[in-house]
Amino acid sequence: MFHSVVTRTAGFNSLPLDNMTELSKVTTTILMFIGGAPGSTAGGIKVTTFSIILIAIISQIRGSNPVVFNNSISFTALSRAIAIIGLAAIWVIVVTTLILVVEGDKHRFLNIFYEVTSAFGTVGLSAANTPDLHIFSKILLMITMFIGRVGPVSFAIAITINNNMDKDRIYPEGKVIVG
């Protein structure tokens, strides 16, 4: 219970992370990626963003529109949530890959992925022994911490800025096969 709360932004640990099982590391990595509530100091994609996507997926399976507490979720909110999760996932994957390339075989994939996700979520937990990382890896982690805290909000603001040139354009609807 303690670790599920800590992985949101606290950075405390009561057990050595080396003793965690692979499943525990994966679970805490997911919690760190999601992060805390909007308006909090937590990083990550935020609980509400994750909830909107989860509700949209369930609604799609049921064949209905996404609704929460008798309020429908707007297409704009859903688009922002998809963009935030997509950009965050791409960033974490790219940084993890770059660090794995720089570090070589010194660290296991899951430990580096845990480290990058912890930085993105501004959590402060470490499974890869951060002081031993190459300086380039440390710089990538610092940038990831900044993007994890400020980035998703900035992405949402950038996405909501309307381009006046596109306001009067009407594009034909494309037929794309999905799934």
Side-chain angles (χ1 to χ4, degrees):
M1 185 68 154
F2 177 73
H3 276 280
S4 69
V5 174
V6 163
T7 56
R8 300 313 173 132
T9 193
F12 303 126
N13 58 321
S14 59
L15 301 170
L17 296 179
D18 295 341
N19 295 346
M20 292 178 75
T21 64
E22 300 291 305
L23 180 59
S24 295
K25 285 182 184 176
V26 170
T27 303
T28 55
T29 300
I30 291 167
L31 291 172
M32 289 187 295
F33 183 77
I34 294 170
S40 71
T41 59
I45 62 168
K46 308 298 184 206
V47 175
T48 52
T49 304
F50 177 75
S51 299
I52 285 174
I53 295 298
L54 191 62
I55 290 164
I57 290 169
I58 293 168
S59 297
Q60 184 66 36
I61 291 169
R62 290 182 178 170
S64 62
N65 293 327
V67 176
V68 180
F69 303 117
N70 295 324
N71 293 302
S72 64
I73 298 173
S74 71
F75 178 75
T76 304
L78 183 57
S79 297
R80 285 185 204 150
I82 291 169
I84 289 169
I85 289 177
L87 291 170
I90 289 168
W91 180 263
V92 168
I93 290 167
V94 167
V95 171
T96 301
T97 304
L98 288 173
I99 291 176
L100 285 170
V101 168
V102 169
E103 297 299 326
D105 292 334
K106 290 191 283 185
H107 299 281
R108 295 177 52 202
F109 165 77
L110 188 56
N111 288 344
I112 296 295
F113 185 59
Y114 188 95
E115 190 82 10
V116 172
T117 309
S118 175
F120 180 76
T122 63
V123 176
L125 297 175
S126 178
N129 202 7
T130 310
D132 295 338
L133 295 177
H134 187 274
I135 187 70
F136 182 73
S137 299
K138 292 176 185 177
I139 290 169
L140 283 173
L141 289 173
M142 286 187 278
I143 294 168
T144 301
M145 286 181 221
F146 180 76
I147 288 179
R149 178 60 191 110
V150 177
V153 174
S154 298
F155 289 143
I157 291 170
I159 291 166
T160 59
I161 295 173
N162 292 329
N163 187 349
N164 290 332
M165 292 175 53
D166 287 342
K167 279 187 175 180
D168 297 329
R169 292 184 188 172
I170 299 174
Y171 296 98
E173 184 177 316
K175 302 294 181 192
V176 179
I177 299 172
V178 179

